[in-house]
Amino acid sequence: MSAPASVIWQKNPALAWREIDDETIIISPNDSVMHELNDTGSFLWKNIDGRKSAAELAELLVENYEVTPDIALSDTEALLQEMCSRKLVVTVRATGGVSP
Amino acid sequence: MSAPLANSGRGPRQQFELSIGCVPLRLEMSDAHLFDAATARYAAFTGAGARPVTIALNAGAVPEGPPSDFDYEFEGAALHVFSGGIRFDGVRHQYALDSLLRVLLTWKLLGHCGFLLHAATVIRNGKAYLFTGRSGAGKSTVASLSPEGSVLTDEISLLRRENGVWRAYGTPFWGEFRAAGSNISSPVAGIFRLQQAAENQVTALRPVAILRALLPNVLFFSAEAEPNRRLLEILSQAATEISGYNLAFRENCAFWEVLPA
């Protein structure tokens, strides 16, 4: 089940990552798994800061890429869900805590 | 070089100093057999630079104090890094000592902009050529096809960035060749990802592809985020500054002809 578009997201603080050649390489030290994000994914990753929702991230995508708001939100939510399933991002409660 | 130390109650403790990749270390132990084996094993690397960090082997109970910065266990042997020194406990044979030394080096090299890589290193015209890949990729084959005396290692290479230049160091960590190694270094010419093929061919890689080639072959043992961030920073710098290639090669020495000078 996908999270509401208003939910706030942040990067999993246990990860290491680096942007190189417009791509982002993410390392999960606990299981030594490497993940990669393309240009658009890297853009979203950079803007996942513990203060923005999927809807706000999608707005940034519309401002910087040639994409309609509907598709931007749909793609953003899909990417966040995918990253969430890989434990790359976590949601933030309204109180500021990280949701398990 | 050895010097008896004060008796800890379990026999006289002896020590010798060594340097691997310019990381100065001092091993201290009371097991005479292990001491003899270690001094012979690391003979080419004896003698440390200024302020070697002391590694106390099998030194008894860990004293009370601040928590360790890094711990690692391997088949009953354990490594503990404290701010005031390092302990190797449960070391019963040379193999365990060798393994813990590798683990320790991966940790210490973070502070020297360096890392260990599963790679053979061959010196040619004063430059170091690194051939990386998992077991079976052909590292030992490349080493066996290279002139005698030109191979720094056939298994684990050590890279460090010094004064803006990446250098490859000899290590005592070898695979099939089982050589003692040489404590020398050379500037890096390039990193080559091995792919056995019917024809010799070299293809230049973008930095992100070099980083992809490095990551599965880097030795690292910490699961903590911060050391991994530092490692990734070092590897990204290496991927940006060192030329990297895919090397499709046949198992003959003609592959040297396709390598960039």
Side-chain angles (χ1 to χ4, degrees):
Chain A
M1 190 171 69
S2 62
S6 58
V7 164
I8 306 295
W9 294 89
Q10 73 173 43
K11 299 179 183 83
N12 183 340
L15 302 173
W17 65 90
R18 201 80 189 169
E19 187 177 354
I20 182 168
D21 284 347
D22 295 327
E23 297 183 35
T24 300
I25 302 285
I26 304 169
I27 303 296
S28 173
N30 277 327
D31 48 17
S32 298
V33 172
M34 177 176 76
H35 307 268
E36 298 182 45
L37 298 174
N38 62 14
D39 176 32
T40 315
S42 294
F43 176 81
L44 286 173
W45 178 259
K46 275 188 288 193
N47 285 287
I48 296 170
D49 57 3
R51 293 193 294 272
K52 295 186 186 72
S53 65
E56 290 167 314
L57 290 166
E59 283 177 25
L60 290 175
L61 211 53
V62 170
E63 290 170 13
N64 289 274
Y65 292 83
E66 291 184 7
V67 61
T68 65
D70 288 350
I71 291 175
L73 182 57
S74 164
D75 288 354
T76 300
E77 288 180 325
L79 182 65
L80 287 168
Q81 287 306 319
E82 175 68 18
M83 290 197 288
C84 185
S85 71
R86 296 179 185 222
K87 299 181 180 173
L88 303 183
V89 295
V90 291
T91 57
V92 181
R93 291 197 185 99
T95 55
V98 176
S99 301
Chain B
M1 181 172 65
S2 65
L5 295 179
N7 193 325
S8 66
R10 298 181 304 104
R13 292 184 71 76
Q14 295 177 289
Q15 66 180 30
F16 75 97
E17 295 180 353
L18 69 160
S19 170
I20 303 173
C22 278
V23 177
L25 306 167
R26 179 188 291 125
L27 282 168
E28 181 187 307
M29 65 190 86
S30 56
D31 184 324
H33 293 296
L34 190 57
F35 182 82
D36 290 344
T39 50
R41 169 92 173 89
Y42 306 118
F45 295 84
T46 43
R51 291 179 294 150
V53 59
T54 297
I55 304 168
L57 264 77
N58 306 328
V62 177
E64 294 286 331
S68 55
D69 296 328
F70 174 52
D71 302 286
Y72 187 79
E73 289 193 22
F74 175 78
E75 295 184 357
L79 154 69
H80 305 288
V81 177
F82 297 95
S83 56
I86 295 163
R87 294 176 56 104
F88 287 180
D89 293 320
V91 177
R92 301 286 170 250
H93 44 71
Q94 177 65 46
Y95 180 60
L97 174 58
D98 215 59
S99 298
L100 292 187
L101 268 179
R102 295 181 198 198
V103 176
L104 175 64
L105 273 172
T106 65
W107 179 261
K108 297 294 291 181
L109 283 169
L110 287 182
H112 298 280
C113 198
F115 59 95
L116 293 183
L117 181 70
H118 279 292
T121 298
V122 181
I123 305 298
R124 190 176 173 94
N125 298 328
K127 296 282 184 68
Y129 292 74
L130 286 91
F131 302 90
T132 189
R134 294 284 198 180
S135 294
K139 298 189 293 294
S140 292
T141 304
V142 165
S144 68
L145 292 170
S146 300
E148 190 175 344
S150 66
V151 182
L152 274 190
T153 172
D154 70 337
E155 179 67 20
I156 295 179
S157 297
L158 191 157
L159 287 92
R160 273 184 67 165
R161 189 178 190 272
E162 297 171 346
N163 302 318
V165 176
W166 285 93
R167 300 185 70 85
Y169 281 80
T171 73
F173 311 125
W174 286 62
E176 293 176 15
F177 274 38
R178 302 190 187 286
S182 302
N183 197 7
I184 59 174
S185 71
S186 288
V188 174
I191 297 174
F192 300 84
R193 178 166 57 186
L194 292 170
Q195 296 171 326
Q196 294 192 29
E199 298 297 332
N200 296 317
Q201 187 175 7
V202 69
T203 311
L205 298 173
R206 290 193 306 147
V208 68
I210 299 172
L211 184 57
R212 276 192 210 108
L214 290 176
L215 277 166
N217 294 301
V218 169
L219 282 77
F220 203 61
F221 302 89
S222 170
E224 299 294 322
E226 206 49 52
N228 275 276
R229 286 180 191 139
R230 176 59 186 145
L231 176 68
L232 196 52
E233 187 180 351
I234 292 169
L235 295 177
S236 298
Q237 188 164 15
T240 305
E241 297 178 346
I242 299 175
S243 299
Y245 308 85
N246 270 338
L247 172 61
F249 87 111
R250 297 184 63 171
E251 293 189 7
N252 63 40
C253 56
F255 73 87
W256 280 108
E257 296 168 10
V258 301
L259 298 193

